[in-house]
Amino acid sequence: LERGSIGCPGSKGRARTRAAWVGRGDRRVPREAMGGTMSGQQARRPAPLPPVFYSEEFFKEYGSSGSPAPSAQSIAAVVAAPESVDAPSRGELKGTERNRILAELREDELSAAEAAARRIGTWAAELQARTVPCGAEQAEVERCYAAPPMGDQLRCGPIVDVFVRCAKL
């Protein structure tokens, strides 16, 4: 065996390297990066996320329009709150955020629906305000068929032709 090799002759130490890397070709990454562990090591748990404190300027610039920005006093009260007060659980925070997002979506959908209703109402009003095209020619055709000249409906042909020409425009 060659010096530093593990396993078969000619492996040149690659057996150890292969065990620590996963993937193919150019996309090989350490097993630890994919959530795996080396033998004999324990999996690390991710550290809890640190608390985030926002300034009043941040709230003024990026705060939602639904609620006013908190004042410096309310921020100081939250920061100075004793540790014994039960903080909302992660599930409660997720639920609150989900409800806020759903409320925003409902508001967006409602405003889109109201805009569509206004657009359709405007279109309907314009449509009702229009006069029927070729109304005079149509009335002439109806009059001709109701009382045909000399009792022959075939004599209404020229009147019908005038209506057809008008309707094709």
Side-chain angles (χ1 to χ4, degrees):
L1 290 175
E2 293 179 21
R3 184 175 172 185
S5 67
I6 298 176
C8 301
S11 69
K12 297 183 181 180
R14 297 176 98 187
R16 178 176 294 158
T17 304
R18 280 195 184 127
W21 294 81
V22 293
R24 296 181 187 206
D26 296 346
R27 297 180 183 232
R28 294 176 64 86
V29 294
R31 182 179 310 276
E32 293 84 10
M34 299 299 290
T37 60
M38 296 291 288
S39 61
Q41 293 181 349
Q42 292 183 358
R44 293 185 195 171
R45 291 185 168 219
L49 297 175
V52 178
F53 299 102
Y54 296 106
S55 67
E56 188 170 350
E57 293 81 30
F58 180 86
F59 279 115
K60 286 180 182 175
E61 185 172 350
Y62 299 107
S64 66
S65 61
S67 63
S71 65
Q73 295 168 346
S74 64
I75 292 173
V78 170
V79 171
E83 294 289 329
S84 64
V85 175
D86 291 334
S89 70
R90 187 173 179 99
E92 290 173 342
L93 292 174
K94 283 183 178 180
T96 303
E97 183 66 10
R98 184 181 318 116
N99 290 338
R100 184 189 64 78
I101 291 170
L102 287 173
E104 286 180 10
L105 289 174
R106 280 190 210 106
E107 184 179 328
D108 292 345
E109 289 175 358
L110 179 62
S111 64
E114 288 173 345
R118 282 192 301 272
R119 189 177 62 247
I120 291 170
T122 303
W123 174 75
E126 290 173 1
L127 191 61
Q128 290 173 348
R130 290 186 196 168
T131 59
V132 177
C134 308
E137 290 82 357
Q138 182 180 2
E140 188 65 31
V141 169
E142 290 173 0
R143 200 173 318 117
C144 183
Y145 279 116
M150 293 188 252
D152 187 9
Q153 288 186 340
L154 294 177
R155 295 191 185 259
C156 293
I159 298 170
V160 172
D161 290 338
V162 170
F163 173 69
V164 168
R165 269 185 258 126
C166 177
K168 284 186 178 180
L169 295 175

